[in-house]
Amino acid sequence: MHLILFFLFAGFCLAGAINLLLQSHPINSALSLIVVMVSLAVLYLLLGAEFLAAAQVIVYAGAIMVLFTFVVMLLNAGREDRTLGSKSARSLGFPAVTVLLAILATVILHIQGLGSASLNQGLTTTEDLSRVLFHELLLPFEVTSVLILIAILGAVALARAGDGEGTASK
């Protein structure tokens, strides 16, 4: 069953990444990136890394994507066209959701021993993970936060520069 779920969500991840590249509007690209991030979180769950899956959803699909969307809106990347929806969503999305729900219903109906869970002795705790993150990997963690801060400041500076008519030099 893990193999089927792996291929299903790996396909979602690849489809989201390809859709990210094919979209002409940046907001649609950001939404495709959210699909990629959530699919990666499910792949982490399949590997047994529940904390990484939760961090993937909270940090990347949540906070970073809000930041991306904020920057895109701040830069005023263009006027959004009114459409009735994506043609690919109608032709591929609805059947894909139907198949996904059918697979999930099958798994839920055929699962045995729902309440039995066992813990391994080699369990990594959040304390161990935070010790590695904030002791051994402190420099890359802080460099990443500085890079995100520079990106925000750059977006604000670009948005503040005006429409190119020299209004910022007054």
Side-chain angles (χ1 to χ4, degrees), residues 46-57:
L46 290 175
L47 290 173
E50 292 85 9
F51 179 78
L52 286 178
Q56 179 80 18
V57 170

Side-chain angles (χ1 to χ4, degrees), residues 117-123:
S118 63
L119 296 176
N120 295 337
Q121 295 293 358
L123 188 65

